[in-house]
Amino acid sequence: MPRVKDKWDRRIERARELAGTCPFSAQILRFYAKVTEFQKGCYLRFASACGSESGRVARLPGTLDAVDLELLITLFGAFLTLIGEAAPAALAEFAGSLRAQGSGAWLVLLRESWSAGRQIDDGATPPPSGSGEVERDPFAEFCGRTFLQPYAEFLSDRAGLPEPPVRPPACPYCGSRPLTGVLRQEGDGARRSLVCSLCRREWDYLRIACPACDERDEKKLFVYTTERFPHVRVETCDTCRAYLKTVDLTRDGRAVPEVDDLASIPLSLWAAENGYRKISRNFVGL
Ligand SMILES: [Zn+2]
Ligand SMILES: [Zn+2]
């Protein structure tokens, strides 16, 4: 796995840089940087504990087995301590009380979070969109997903799968919905790919299509940009009222999609005010 450390460092450095230029998101970005440092440490720990040869799987397993959990539980207590110290007050309080409940409660939360919001079967149909989904406690969701994210990313990187022959709207490795889109230069134009909200795999996707409902009619799909964030596009669908932010790397090659998504919180607020819901929630639930 080349440049594994680089990708984590790029996220952390980009968050620190944007914290200096985006005052409205600065606090969140600094918190994100601290949590991402912790996630990087976990990722490297998984890499050294699991090696790179055995246990490669073509799809992220639907459940965590006992071996996974043994390693994860040893790190989860430290994660809750960090959240208790660094998070905004209400989340910090939640983490503190969960920490006090001990490993039995942690196991329940980690097992639930591992499969939440994922389409675990065959990958042929999109995961359920907003309305049919069970609403989970946002703090429990934050703690579970954020902690498990580097483990899912490690397994996804280790799988080293080729691009899928079709362009699925959900992650071809773990079945989660996309967190953001990305535009990359291709020939004279740009091609769009999607970034997974859990394992961070990036996969090729249609330039004009809604990953929530598969709408492809250009008259229903809109793109909004602002001068403040010229490289972040809000891509909306008027059929299902979903939106996705797509980070245009042809306009800012230093952007890191998940970080620039966080920094551009005013765009998320604008989308919510206009009745759009995000396809999947980011680090701060927006
Ligand atoms: Zn994934
Ligand atoms: Zn749609």
Side-chain angles (χ1 to χ4, degrees), residues 222-238:
F222 300 93
V223 175
Y224 300 93
T225 53
T226 60
E227 281 179 24
R228 178 70 187 82
F229 302 101
H231 65 298
V232 181
R233 300 151 54 99
V234 176
E235 299 177 337
T236 64
C237 170
D238 274 7

Side-chain angles (χ1 to χ4, degrees), residues 23-222:
F24 35 79
S25 319
Q27 209 181 352
I28 285 162
L29 288 164
R30 279 194 284 269
F31 176 50
Y32 166 91
K34 277 185 200 161
V35 173
T36 306
E37 280 279 9
F38 184 91
Q39 290 180 314
K40 172 185 158 187
C42 291
Y43 185 105
L44 297 174
R45 179 89 182 268
F46 302 140
S48 66
C50 302
S52 56
E53 295 307 315
S54 62
R56 283 184 200 199
V57 280
R59 290 272 292 173
L60 192 68
T63 53
L64 286 167
D65 68 23
V67 179
D68 299 325
L69 282 166
E70 198 178 318
L71 175 58
L72 292 168
I73 284 292
T74 61
L75 298 167
F76 193 55
F79 175 77
L80 292 175
T81 302
L82 167 73
I83 301 304
E85 287 166 3
L91 175 58
E93 198 178 314
F94 174 87
S97 91
L98 181 59
R99 196 176 197 305
Q101 287 172 47
S103 56
W106 307 351
L107 282 172
V108 172
L109 182 113
L110 293 181
R111 283 206 174 102
E112 279 175 8
S113 301
W114 184 246
S115 56
R118 285 208 280 139
Q119 184 208 357
I120 301 213
D121 50 19
D122 61 0
T125 48
S129 57
S131 54
E133 203 183 335
V134 181
E135 273 296 315
R136 300 182 69 232
D137 177 275
F139 293 152
E141 180 170 321
F142 172 87
C143 289
R145 292 276 287 193
T146 306
F147 173 73
L148 291 169
Q149 189 277 317
Y151 189 53
E153 182 165 343
F154 165 70
L155 294 175
S156 180
D157 286 349
R158 188 168 64 155
L161 300 174
E163 273 285 307
V166 290
R167 296 166 165 177
C171 173
Y173 183 66
C174 77
S176 297
R177 292 184 229 157
L179 177 65
T180 66
V182 189
L183 282 181
R184 295 181 186 278
Q185 194 79 41
E186 186 174 70
D188 294 334
R191 108 185 129 75
R192 183 170 71 155
S193 44
L194 302 177
V195 179
C196 176
S197 57
L198 179 63
C199 78
R200 299 293 188 266
R201 179 171 290 260
E202 189 178 324
W203 72 97
D204 200 21
Y205 193 63
L206 302 169
R207 179 77 191 262
I208 299 167
C210 169
C213 74
D214 201 36
E215 179 62 79
R216 296 177 189 198
D217 181 350
E218 287 185 38
K219 294 191 285 296
K220 302 281 176 55
L221 302 169
F222 300 93

